[in-house]
């Protein structure tokens, strides 16, 4: 079974309540997606390996820890996942970035892949996949399938909002992947949108509707 982590810190809950509001502007929405992503990443990165290092302070030697290896990659699912990248990369400036482009067919709600560009050595990297929404789970599963076909073995998925259907689908298809969410909402509507949700994340980030 994958591990499901709901990162329900008060700061995240507060920001999520503003994110959901239909009156929130595109500018505010973008900023909030970035802020929530950074706060969630703090928790999602908790188990990154460290190595011991001695540092000379002006007064003495301090026994410290630094991130070991640093072979990390952030992979947003386009479009909406792009909104989560910048603040995470600001915490991990040496991470590589891959892109997987998927859109949901409006009739079938199944993902259609239109772009995939990953770092050459992605199979040797620990990967964080980011996308604000986990609805049916189809897009997440397709992205995880693509990453595994490139040799990735250590993958964490980060979604701001999910629902029981999407979480169950990802768990069933990819039981080895850890899932971090800010909230698991109630259900999907007949158009496979999350209820109560926040609407269409891509449209709200990019102002396309
Ligand atoms: C949204 C969202 C996820 C997907 C989730 O993207 O960002 O990628 O839907 O739905 P699922 O779990 O049912 O697959 P969308 O297809 O609307 O594309 P966009 O990001 O380009 O707007
Ligand atoms: N994609 C979104 O952007 N929102 C949803 O509620 C479901 C899929």
């Amino acid at each position: 079974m994958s591990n499901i982590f709901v990162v329900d810190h008060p700061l995240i809950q507060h920001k999520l309540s503003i994110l959901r509001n239909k009156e929130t502007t595109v500018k505010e929405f973008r900023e909030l997606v970035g802020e929530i992503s950074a706060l969630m990443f703090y928790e999602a990165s908790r188990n990154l390996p460290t190595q011991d290092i001695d540092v000379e302070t002006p007064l003495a030697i301090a026994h410290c820890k630094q991130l070991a290896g640093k072979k990390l990659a952030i992979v947003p699912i386009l479009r909406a996942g792009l909104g989560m990248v910048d603040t995470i990369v600001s915490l991990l400036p040496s991470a590589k970035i891959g892109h997987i482009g998927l859109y949901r067919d409006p009739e079938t709600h199944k993902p259609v892949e239109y772009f995939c560009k990953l770092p050459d050595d992605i199979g040797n990297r620990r990967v964080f996949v980011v996308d604000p929404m986990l609805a049916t789970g189809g897009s997440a599963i397709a992205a995880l399938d693509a990453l595994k076909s490139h040799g990735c073995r250590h993958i964490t998925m980060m979604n701001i909002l999910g629902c029981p259907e999407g979480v169950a689908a990802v768990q069933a298809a990819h039981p080895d992947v850890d899932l971090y969410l800010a909230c698991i909402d109630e259900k999907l509507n007949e158009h496979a949108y999350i209820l109560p949700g926040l609407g269409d994340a891509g449209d709200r980030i990019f102002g396309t509707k």
Side-chain angles (χ1 to χ4, degrees):
M1 294 285 277
S2 16
N3 294 311
I4 313 296
F5 301 93
V6 178
V7 193
D8 56 358
H9 188 284
L11 283 174
I12 294 180
Q13 290 188 52
H14 177 85
K15 290 177 189 297
L16 188 53
S17 76
I18 307 170
L19 194 71
R20 289 182 189 275
N21 191 325
K22 65 179 185 179
E23 305 298 341
T24 295
T25 65
V26 169
K27 174 180 181 289
E28 291 165 334
F29 193 91
R30 263 185 217 140
E31 288 168 359
L32 287 161
V33 165
E35 290 166 5
I36 292 170
S37 303
L39 290 167
M40 290 181 70
F41 188 71
Y42 176 77
E43 198 54 38
S45 60
R46 177 174 289 281
N47 295 322
L48 285 180
T50 56
Q51 64 193 19
D52 295 332
I53 179 169
D54 285 348
V55 172
E56 212 177 320
T57 79
L59 300 176
I61 299 294
H63 306 299
C64 302
K65 293 196 183 292
Q66 287 191 344
L67 289 178
K70 300 195 178 124
K71 287 221 152 218
L72 303 171
I74 312 299
V75 177
I77 301 178
L78 309 183
R79 292 175 297 165
L82 285 174
M84 299 177 71
V85 172
D86 287 357
T87 54
I88 296 176
V89 170
S90 70
L91 298 171
L92 278 182
S94 60
K96 298 263 175 95
I97 304 174
H99 295 86
I100 298 180
L102 295 167
Y103 71 87
R104 288 200 317 180
D105 181 290
E107 301 296 323
T108 65
H109 307 138
K110 299 265 183 256
V112 181
E113 185 176 314
Y114 59 88
F115 189 75
C116 183
K117 183 74 182 168
L118 301 168
D120 282 348
D121 61 352
I122 190 83
N124 296 326
R125 290 181 176 267
R126 180 169 173 152
V127 180
F128 291 86
V129 184
V130 297
D131 188 335
M133 308 303 278
L134 178 68
T136 65
S139 303
I141 291 168
L144 294 170
D145 288 344
L147 288 165
K148 286 187 180 173
S149 76
H150 283 80
C152 299
R153 289 292 163 263
H154 201 163
I155 311 174
T156 299
M157 178 96 211
M158 278 179 54
N159 302 107
I160 295 178
L161 275 192
C163 62
E165 297 90 328
V167 169
V170 172
Q171 269 194 310
H174 292 287
D176 56 309
V177 171
D178 287 342
L179 254 181
Y180 285 78
L181 304 113
C183 188
I184 301 177
D185 272 9
E186 204 182 316
K187 60 180 180 184
L188 293 175
N189 72 8
E190 65 276 21
H191 303 294
Y193 273 80
I194 296 173
L195 293 180
L198 50 73
D200 189 302
D203 284 340
R204 295 196 68 183
I205 290 171
F206 295 105
T208 37
K209 264 205 186 116

